[in-house]
Amino acid sequence: MDAAADTLNRRAGIAMSNGKPLSRDAVLQLRKAVVTRAADTDDLMERALRRPLGSAKSIQELHDLLLFMVAYPASMAQYRSAVRNLNGFRRALGAHLKDDRRLRERLRDTGIQGCDMIGLYSFELAHWLLRRWPGRIELHSADAERQVATTSLLPMLTMAEREVLEPLDGDTEQLLRCAFGEDAGARFHGLIRTIAEHPMDEGLREALFSNLQPYLRIVGDERTPSLTGLRMRLLEPFHHEGALERTTDAVRIIAQPIAGALPLTRAKRRELIDKGRMVLALMQRETDPITYAGSAEAFDMGRGLMIALYHLDARHRLALEGYVGFMAFKNGVPMAYGGAWLFPGRSKVGINVFPALRGGESAWFFAQLLRLYRQRFDVRVFEAENYQLGHGNADGLRSGAYWFYYRLGFRPWNEPLARIAERELDRMRAGKQVPVAILKRLVADGLVLRLTDDPAPLIDTSALLSRAQEHLLLQGTAGRRRTVEAMRSRLCSALGMEPAEMRSLELRFAVDAWAPLCDMIPDLHSWPRQERGRMASAIRARAMGDEQAHQALLRRCHRLLSAWAALAERVA
């Protein structure tokens, strides 16, 4: 080992010996020992950490392994050792990155401390990142065609700027340089500030920003958040004695009562939202419930698992389904994200476990997630959509997502596919592979987990929204805004909601979401007062962002749900 490597690793606080750099294969073998709880795991880890850092691939695997050990320690001593080793790894790598530009580039987009991240985000998230880390966010590139960029950007500038910029040659990046300067940080700040300050609707602002396709760079250093150090510490660390949970009785777990939400201060709620946004940004991902979170709550699900639920603000809620996102943390380490799309009694659900924590107790975690959604929102039926299983999704098909859901109790909707799935599972148990053609046929139809019979009508929400769109088109040429205002007025009149209530922006959004859907019901004014009162209560709960109350109240709107079911089934 050369003197530079020795200095690097001593600086990290890890005792080093001579030897070859740690290879990716060696780290993968070490991970296998950790996951299977091999007796000599601690000795293997100690010897591995005495070797110099290896390739970018091995560094990333070692980083993820250390995170896994923080999340799934076999003892509290191993937990403390993993935390200590992760800190040592971070110091060693930080020193290495200062001297090795090629390694820094190869570790880009990994989320590791000190490494850059380049991503494409919504205006809301990009603006938030800039406000939080003004000196660490810059414009990397913009992929929009020059004509699209010119059309999107120039109307927001002064006439003098337009006359200078419009005739200039060059691509979109050259246009942005001329408009906002050569410095990448100042250029991004200028673009964001120009769009933020221009008077326009939020939806139009997002569309214009998206038109430019601006990729931003999060400059990684010791001050910038990273997946290496991001934690959400609301629970005491938990250690796993013995083997990890590999088999799970999901139905039994889902039936177990949950405790109430953890008590959170306003600052902790804000931290929950901020860390959710940062984790996804560092993974080059984004979900509406976290980006546009109006509120968040957290639940202790046991064994060091904390699940945070994120509720959309009033402006970004879907017209029918309650989209409630989640992020899971294991011993504070970000573990998974996804969401549920709720409608009375049933819910679509989707999850994505982060690579670093795969191979742990994923099935047990998913059962806990279903348990939380089931009891928080009275879900009777869970649906796994075909894309989540691999339909049009090569990663999902390769990962075996279909059988992951199947082993948790999800089953095909129809009997012929159920018989095929059962037959193929028997073949797999006998060591045979499922033919790709059959697997593609299975994943095309989705899966469902029925926890109890539900008398609520099964409504195709997509079909219902299409009917509402057709209804809007039939309202003449008064203009969309005036048409929606007229529908809002008719709905408020039918439900006994006072015009003064519409001064609340949140309530107006909630009423407008339902207005076209209810305007298709010709006899709504003559419905029993009690039914119309329930509808008004459901709308008010929706406006307040209380999804639990909204789902409970909407479930009681029996006549409304029946009317919507009939409309969804009607041939256009």
Side-chain angles (χ1 to χ4, degrees), residues 514-526:
W514 274 25
L517 297 160
C518 294
D519 202 66
M520 295 185 289
I521 305 173
D523 60 341
L524 179 60
H525 279 79
S526 64

Side-chain angles (χ1 to χ4, degrees), residues 41 66 82 88 151 214 220 312 432:
T41 296
L66 291 169
T151 304
L312 281 161
K432 299 177 181 178

Side-chain angles (χ1 to χ4, degrees), residues 281-532:
L282 289 167
M283 298 290 293
Q284 298 174 306
R285 302 173 192 186
E286 187 174 357
T287 67
D288 282 357
I290 294 181
T291 294
Y292 304 108
S295 64
E297 52 186 347
F299 297 83
D300 179 359
M301 306 305 295
R303 298 168 68 84
L305 174 66
M306 188 271 286
I307 300 179
L309 297 182
Y310 297 87
H311 301 263
L312 281 161
D313 64 21
R315 182 185 290 267
H316 296 93
R317 290 178 61 98
L318 302 179
L320 283 172
E321 295 172 330
Y323 183 12
V324 179
F326 80 86
M327 185 168 286
F329 299 83
K330 189 71 166 64
N331 279 354
V333 178
M335 177 184 182
Y337 79 100
W341 292 259
L342 304 155
F343 201 66
R346 64 182 178 85
S347 176
K348 302 167 191 170
V349 62
I351 67 166
N352 191 310
V353 177
F354 294 133
L357 267 60
R358 290 174 187 168
E361 299 181 333
S362 296
W364 179 84
F365 149 68
F366 190 38
Q368 294 295 336
L369 179 69
L370 297 180
R371 172 190 172 207
L372 178 57
Y373 278 121
R374 160 77 173 101
Q375 298 188 41
R376 195 66 172 166
F377 305 108
D378 194 22
V379 177
R380 318 290 179 86
V381 178
F382 283 104
E383 303 172 32
E385 289 192 298
N386 56 12
Y387 180 83
Q388 185 81 14
L389 303 174
H391 183 64
N393 173 7
D395 289 340
L397 200 66
R398 284 194 299 268
S399 70
Y402 185 90
W403 302 111
F404 174 79
Y405 282 89
Y406 194 93
R407 289 186 178 96
L408 285 168
F410 284 77
R411 293 293 183 268
W413 287 94
N414 62 70
E415 283 301 320
L417 283 182
R419 288 193 293 271
I420 293 173
E422 188 173 354
R423 181 194 69 203
E424 293 304 319
L425 184 63
D426 288 340
R427 285 166 52 85
M428 288 172 61
R429 288 169 177 160
K432 299 177 181 178
Q433 286 190 334
V434 178
V436 173
I438 292 179
L439 185 56
K440 287 183 176 180
R441 182 181 174 189
L442 289 172
V443 302
D445 204 42
L447 293 171
V448 62
L449 175 64
R450 297 184 184 277
L451 299 172
T452 183
D453 291 333
D454 191 351
L458 185 62
I459 299 174
D460 184 339
T461 53
S462 296
L464 180 57
L465 291 172
S466 295
R467 295 287 299 163
Q469 174 66 15
E470 293 169 5
H471 182 67
L472 274 167
L473 293 175
L474 294 173
Q475 298 310 300
T477 59
R480 188 169 299 274
R481 178 171 295 180
R482 290 181 62 183
T483 297
V484 172
E485 287 175 352
M487 290 179 174
R488 179 200 305 157
S489 179
R490 289 194 290 270
L491 180 57
C492 287
S493 174
L495 302 187
M497 301 177 74
E498 297 295 331
E501 292 185 78
M502 293 304 102
R503 294 172 187 166
S504 163
L505 187 64
E506 291 78 13
L507 188 56
R508 193 160 69 246
F509 282 137
V511 172
D512 286 355
W514 274 25
L517 297 160
C518 294
D519 202 66
M520 295 185 289
I521 305 173
D523 60 341
L524 179 60
H525 279 79
S526 64
W527 283 11
R529 181 176 299 179
Q530 186 180 37
E531 177 72 17
R532 288 179 287 142

